[in-house]
Amino acid sequence: PVPQFEPDPSKKTLVILGTGWGSVALLKKLDTENYNVVVVSPRNYFLFTPLLPSCTTGTIEHRSIMEPVRAILRHKRAAAKYYEADASSIDPDRKVIRIVDNSEIKGATSETEIPYDMLVIGVGAENATFGIPGVREHSCFLKEIGDAQQIRKKIMDCVETAAFKDQSQEEVDRLMHMVVVGGGPTGVEFAGELQDFFDEDIKKLVPEISPRFKVTLIEALPNVLPSFSKQLIDYTENTFREEKIDIKTKTVVKRVTDKTVEAEVSRPDGTKERVVIPYGLLVWATGNAVRPIVKDLMTRIPAQKDARRGLAVNEYLVVQGTRDIWAIGDCAVAGYAPTAQVASQEGNFLGRLFNNMAKTEDHEARIRELSSKMNIGSGNSAEAAAEIEKLEKQLRRIKDIKPFRYSHQGSLAYIGSEKAVADVSWWNGNLATGGSMTYLFWRSAYLSMCFSTRNRVLVILDWLKSKAFGRDVSRE
Ligand code: FAD
Ligand code: NAD
């Protein structure tokens, strides 16, 4: 039977914001019997982001990498409450959060407050645009399921419009030019997937426009994938050259219009040149920015005044300047990169910490009870003393929680034409590899990391389906 949520006044209320990598790892580990657990997130599912770029071309169908939060909570020992809502503000003095239902369908109540005893913030980050004019209006991001669906639709719209009767050559060139801004892993993986889609499917189905198809990757720094080793950067750039993906490094986008990107290119002689690049599809992948709710909380806590990229946390992931607020993942600044790997390890750590805290309180309460019994002389005092000693011993072990330490398992990225790059920790050293074997490793690693067996099966079926029948090019 599905457990029903009934808040227990004797337990603390633990509110968890978000259903991403951090919050879901915490939920997985947490013994929900110890707290009244309330989860708030506008997204009623967990999203396996590493395979999101594959959804933009239909290599993988989007529902294969989503796991409903209701299904995740159903397996917990004690019921937890889920509200589909955005947390709009946090009041650390009154210990309440304000939540708003921003979904399409709203009831008579669409805004209210939730009190908390303990709060975990795992709201992730939003897309950085650096205030560059035109970005929000004209480009697609690649962070959420809706973004991938929009890109998939637009790619086919560009193709069909380019194939329209009497389209001028200049317009065909523009429509078939797919521009990606940001040479981090998101931009690189998307560019690779896009080129695959063209080479493997569109070329065959719409041959008349295929010679005009071009992918350009624009990066402000001197090279793509700055967080990978030099050898893998070179390997990626060479593979892209073979795949005919044009990489424009030292090129900073300054303005975007509905049909062009305006960028500043730094030449080897130190001069700067302004270029205008026409595009059909523009994907913007320049990294993370702080969400408004996090910014707002930072202004309310004096100890956060110097924090810039998110909530500064201590080694136990407690938000600096607070006692009962923790932050994990992309919205927290703990000295690590904003990755799924970090977020899930942080969530896992908090799960263990909270389970231990509950055990500590239980043990302390039992010790207090036994001591008072001994003081009034009731029961067998020798037995009670022995139990107290045992409990105190256990308590010392439970209380000895080491601070959070991130253990880096390596970085992986797909770069197209069935090749991937990997920087992995190997024994005590590092191994940097690229190529087709790495691609198989990439596939098996991501498969093993999928949330559920259901996800795993669906992803395998999608891979087989697109290999056997080609990707589906219908424009929904
Ligand atoms: P998220 O996973 O982004 O989750 C945030 C959650 O908070 C969401 O459920 C969101 O709906 C919710 N939320 C937002 N606003 C509010 C609010 N106001 N109130 C309540 N809830 C809110 N990392 C890797 O390590 N390996 C990879 O291969 C990899 N691939 C990636 C591919 C892509 C395309 C992208 C975009 C990212 C990738 N990452 C990868 C990075 C990784 O996805 C992030 O670092 C990770 O998602 C961060 O986890 P999080 O829990 O902090 O945030
Ligand atoms: P990123 O921050 O890693 O890269 C963004 C890139 O955009 C930077 O290289 C930056 O120089 C460039 N840029 C910024 N402004 C620009 C401009 N105006 N013009 C041109 N270039 C500009 O962002 P991301 O790729 O979205 O990744 C975000 C986080 O998610 C990172 O921590 C990354 O490691 C992680 N991630 C990991 C994987 C993976 O491991 N396979 C995949 C995707 C994302």
Side-chain angles (χ1 to χ4, degrees):
V2 179
Q4 298 296 309
F5 178 79
E6 271 171 40
D8 176 344
S10 70
K11 290 178 186 168
K12 285 185 173 164
T13 297
L14 166 63
V15 176
I16 301 171
L17 304 185
T19 45
W21 278 96
S23 302
V24 164
L26 159 62
L27 275 171
K28 249 179 149 176
K29 195 82 198 168
L30 186 70
D31 182 351
T32 48
E33 271 184 334
N34 296 325
Y35 302 95
N36 296 314
V37 179
V38 181
V39 181
V40 176
S41 175
R43 209 173 72 186
N44 81 343
Y45 55 89
F46 165 73
L47 172 62
F48 187 76
T49 47
L51 290 177
L52 190 62
S54 304
C55 294
T56 60
T57 58
T59 313
I60 289 177
E61 294 296 337
H62 62 274
R63 285 195 178 264
S64 306
I65 58 166
M66 295 158 70
E67 185 71 14
V69 67
R70 301 280 180 188
I72 298 171
L73 294 181
R74 204 187 63 169
H75 297 294
K76 298 308 294 180
R77 285 238 297 256
K81 194 84 203 156
Y82 167 69
Y83 296 117
E84 188 190 77
D86 280 281
S88 58
S89 67
I90 298 164
D91 185 336
D93 301 322
R94 283 175 55 231
K95 293 181 78 163
V96 291
I97 61 160
R98 193 145 195 88
I99 65 165
V100 190
D101 177 3
N102 284 326
S103 67
E104 216 170 292
I105 295 176
K106 291 184 187 64
T109 306
S110 59
E111 196 167 350
T112 185
E113 282 186 348
I114 303 180
Y116 66 83
D117 297 307
M118 294 156 75
L119 174 66
V120 177
I121 307 175
V123 296
E126 60 176 34
N127 295 292
T129 63
F130 308 103
I132 297 169
V135 175
R136 282 206 186 276
E137 297 86 316
H138 306 298
S139 53
C140 299
F141 297 114
L142 182 49
K143 200 166 184 62
E144 299 290 344
I145 281 294
D147 300 331
Q149 285 172 303
Q150 192 192 17
I151 293 173
R152 190 171 173 188
K153 212 161 152 179
K154 277 200 174 181
I155 297 170
M156 282 322 293
D157 204 355
C158 284
V159 169
E160 300 296 4
T161 310
F164 192 76
K165 188 169 182 299
D166 300 336
Q167 202 67 272
S168 72
Q169 277 312 319
E170 193 189 350
E171 197 60 350
V172 173
D173 283 339
R174 178 184 74 78
L175 289 162
M176 295 303 284
H177 192 199
M178 314 273 148
V179 174
V180 185
V181 183
T186 304
V188 165
E189 290 193 321
F190 171 65
E193 293 275 356
L194 193 52
Q195 188 68 44
D196 283 357
F197 185 29
F198 255 84
D199 291 342
E200 291 163 18
D201 297 292
I202 296 193
K203 233 182 199 169
K204 288 182 216 150
L205 296 168
V206 203
E208 68 274 25
I209 44 109
S210 71
R212 333 291 299 194
F213 176 76
K214 192 171 137 199
V215 178
T216 299
L217 179 64
I218 301 180
E219 168 56 52
L221 298 174
N223 55 269
V224 298
L225 292 181
S227 59
F228 281 69
S229 58
K230 170 89 176 68
Q231 178 196 344
L232 294 181
I233 291 171
D234 292 345
Y235 182 79
T236 305
E237 293 189 346
N238 289 335
T239 308
F240 271 19
R241 245 167 253 132
E242 282 165 24
E243 288 170 3
K244 309 251 169 341
I245 295 172
D246 187 14
I247 303 182
K248 288 192 191 309
T249 50
K250 296 190 187 166
T251 305
V252 186
V253 173
K254 297 282 185 185
R255 203 168 94 93
V256 170
T257 71
D258 59 344
K259 290 181 181 144
T260 60
V261 160
E262 295 175 24
E264 196 174 77
V265 186
S266 302
R267 299 283 174 218
D269 63 5
T271 58
K272 292 204 159 99
E273 189 193 339
R274 195 96 175 179
V275 292
V276 176
I277 306 166
Y279 71 84
L281 171 79
L282 176 64
V283 172
W284 193 266
T286 62
N288 292 346
V290 181
R291 286 203 191 275
I293 183 177
V294 173
K295 258 191 217 155
D296 175 64
L297 180 63
M298 282 155 68
T299 61
R300 291 172 190 238
I301 304 168
Q304 294 285 331
K305 78 174 195 318
D306 295 327
R308 290 284 165 274
R309 291 191 351 263
L311 290 159
V313 294
N314 72 12
E315 71 273 32
Y316 289 91
L317 308 178
V318 177
V319 172
Q320 310 254 6
T322 72
R323 291 195 58 221
D324 26 40
I325 307 181
W326 289 258
I328 49 179
D330 287 2
C331 66
V333 180
Y336 308 109
T339 65
Q341 234 185 111
V342 171
S344 61
Q345 286 185 28
E346 288 177 342
N348 196 346
F349 170 83
L350 275 198
R352 275 190 289 125
L353 184 77
F354 293 165
N355 291 345
N356 271 6
M357 279 163 65
K359 261 193 224 153
T360 307
E361 279 173 23
D362 272 2
H363 277 46
E364 281 172 348
R366 178 79 184 133
I367 291 170
R368 270 197 308 274
E369 189 191 325
L370 289 167
S371 320
S372 66
K373 270 190 190 157
M374 275 172 68
N375 288 343
I376 58 170
S378 76
N380 183 336
S381 61
E383 242 174 47
E387 192 180 343
I388 289 177
E389 201 186 311
K390 200 172 110 200
L391 286 169
E392 277 178 342
K393 215 176 189 178
Q394 284 175 358
L395 202 56
R396 272 196 298 278
R397 199 163 33 82
I398 298 169
K399 275 188 164 173
D400 183 30
I401 307 171
K402 303 272 181 298
F404 173 74
R405 269 199 58 210
Y406 169 62
S407 140
H408 186 61
Q409 305 297 308
S411 308
L412 277 168
Y414 179 61
I415 58 171
S417 59
E418 304 198 342
K419 287 180 183 154
V421 287
D423 259 328
V424 283
S425 314
W426 196 260
W427 299 109
N428 283 332
N430 278 330
L431 180 71
T433 80
S436 303
M437 286 309 285
T438 316
Y439 167 67
L440 293 178
F441 174 64
W442 174 83
R443 277 202 160 179
S444 50
Y446 280 4
L447 209 51
S448 72
M449 281 187 264
C450 277
F451 186 84
S452 62
T453 309
R454 187 187 70 93
N455 286 155
R456 235 163 265 142
V457 171
L458 291 176
V459 167
I460 293 174
L461 289 177
D462 287 344
W463 278 336
L464 291 173
K465 220 166 58 183
S466 51
K467 192 84 194 161
F469 307 113
R471 297 167 182 84
D472 184 347
V473 297
S474 344
R475 191 167 71 82
E476 280 176 278

